[in-house]
Amino acid sequence: MAAWASTSGDLIVDRRYEFAEALAAGGDRAGAVDLLAQALELAPLWAAGWFRLGEWLDDLGRTDEACAAWDRATAADPADRLGAGLKRDLARKVPMVETMPQAFVEALFDQYAERFDTALVDKLGYRAPWLLRDALARAHPGRRFARAMDLGCGTGRAGEVLRGSVDWLEGCDLSAAMLAQAQAKGLYDRLEKADLSALEIGATYDLILAADVFVYLGALERIVAWCAGSLAPGGVLAFSAEAGEAPLTLRESRRFAHSQDYLQGVLTAAGFTGIRLERAVLRHDRGAAIEGFIVTASAPMALRDLQGDGEDAALV
């Protein structure tokens, strides 16, 4: 449970919650559910308590009750920093969301920042930055980029891999803690805290990179349109995406997967050319290989400066 919500603000409720956690750890989920439900009568606005209750109810196969608990969690915290809405949609098997709650992503990576590099590379075998570097070398051999943007730069792992190929490197991320880690590496010429789902077209880049980022955005029409409008003529977009069968799939990991046809369609609609999608293993999760796409695409020599929902971006 997130540190920001580890207490209800009521000592009695907190003690009952601790006892419920002990019951759950000992295998008595039903007992834990009963005790926490009673405690929540005293703290009905404790979002984290409802979130935890939903998890235990889901473990017991009581899906409708779990979804109701997650509904209470989102009502108590409309920003949904714990991602209760995502858990609810996954349990219902009919996801309603097409993007991650901004507060959930920010809280997730703020907590994860200090151990991010070690966990991602050493434990999960994360490979996206290196795969993107190699794909760029194949698609644009010998090319050096004057000005690059690293979307969702995190701790700067992709910046470390690609810094040698760019003259000026900017990065943006939603998490201030991740940006602090990136700043400490001294790789970026500029870093900015920004919500990728709300970027406005301004500066122009020769390369826009998004390593393991679009899995948290979901629907890609808007961000791809932003990339199209932010690239110089002939500029390059390079990103990774987890592979799915449906156009957009919310996975149990609370990350989005995209189909090849969807990615191709979004890029084509935004006016990109030279689209290359290469299948690759991006990382591992619980011992299983997570397959995805390494994508490179070029902006045409002239592109209408559109953003909106991405459907109108086209060649001039």
Side-chain angles (χ1 to χ4, degrees):
M1 190 175 294
W4 66 267
S6 59
T7 176
S8 67
D10 184 314
L11 184 59
I12 294 175
V13 172
D14 289 349
R15 287 177 176 171
R16 291 183 181 180
Y17 168 72
E18 291 172 2
F19 188 32
E21 281 281 12
L23 289 175
D28 185 5
R29 284 284 197 278
V33 163
D34 289 343
L35 185 57
L36 183 54
Q38 293 172 24
L40 285 168
E41 293 177 3
L42 302 176
L45 298 180
W46 186 29
W50 288 111
F51 182 87
R52 196 60 156 166
L53 181 63
E55 290 186 313
W56 290 339
L57 286 164
D58 193 43
D59 288 343
L60 292 170
R62 294 159 61 177
T63 305
D64 289 344
E65 293 172 83
C67 290
W70 287 321
D71 280 338
R72 293 291 297 267
T74 56
D77 175 28
D80 197 12
R81 284 171 284 182
L82 289 171
L86 300 175
K87 296 284 282 187
R88 177 199 59 215
D89 285 3
L90 283 165
R92 286 175 175 162
K93 309 294 184 187
V94 184
M96 298 168 61
V97 297
E98 290 190 347
T99 189
M100 296 283 177
Q102 173 185 342
F104 165 69
V105 177
E106 184 174 5
L108 174 68
F109 286 104
D110 277 348
Q111 294 175 64
Y112 200 22
E114 290 187 5
R115 63 186 190 279
F116 182 79
D117 283 351
T118 299
L120 203 59
V121 176
D122 296 346
K123 295 183 179 179
L124 299 179
Y126 174 63
R127 305 171 62 218
W130 295 270
L131 292 168
L132 286 165
R133 177 198 61 192
D134 294 345
L136 283 168
R138 286 190 295 272
H140 304 276
R143 180 168 178 178
R144 185 172 184 84
F145 298 95
R147 187 181 179 92
M149 164 60 84
D150 184 3
L151 292 175
C153 63
T155 61
R157 177 64 71 176
E160 289 180 286
V161 175
L162 289 161
R163 176 74 244 203
S165 300
V166 302
D167 297 326
W168 193 93
L169 180 61
E170 181 176 349
C172 65
D173 200 278
L174 188 60
S175 166
M178 298 288 264
L179 287 169
Q181 296 288 321
Q183 182 69 51
K185 293 178 178 177
L187 296 165
Y188 293 84
D189 297 288
R190 184 172 185 266
L191 287 166
E192 180 182 10
K193 186 177 187 296
D195 176 7
L196 302 192
S197 66
L199 292 175
E200 298 293 335
I201 291 173
T204 301
Y205 306 95
D206 301 292
L207 171 67
I208 295 177
L209 182 77
D212 202 44
V213 173
F214 290 174
V215 293
Y216 296 104
L217 291 184
L220 302 180
E221 284 79 2
R222 190 182 194 282
I223 190 64
V224 168
W226 179 87
C227 292
S230 299
L231 281 168
V236 178
L237 170 63
F239 65 91
S240 62
E242 292 188 8
E245 296 301 320
L248 184 64
T249 304
L250 178 62
R251 290 181 157 171
E252 291 293 334
S253 60
R254 288 190 283 179
R255 295 159 62 95
F256 286 103
H258 302 89
S259 71
Q260 181 170 340
D261 287 346
Y262 173 76
L263 295 173
Q264 182 83 41
V266 170
L267 290 166
T268 300
F272 282 94
T273 62
I275 300 167
R276 298 168 59 127
L277 293 94
E278 304 176 8
R279 196 94 178 198
V281 173
L282 303 178
R283 63 184 179 90
H284 288 78
D285 187 7
R286 300 173 189 175
I290 304 300
E291 291 197 358
F293 300 106
I294 297 297
V295 184
T296 57
S298 297
M301 297 311 295
L303 191 69
R304 188 184 301 164
D305 189 10
L306 295 177
Q307 189 170 353
D309 62 6
E311 293 182 357
D312 297 325
L315 289 172
V316 174

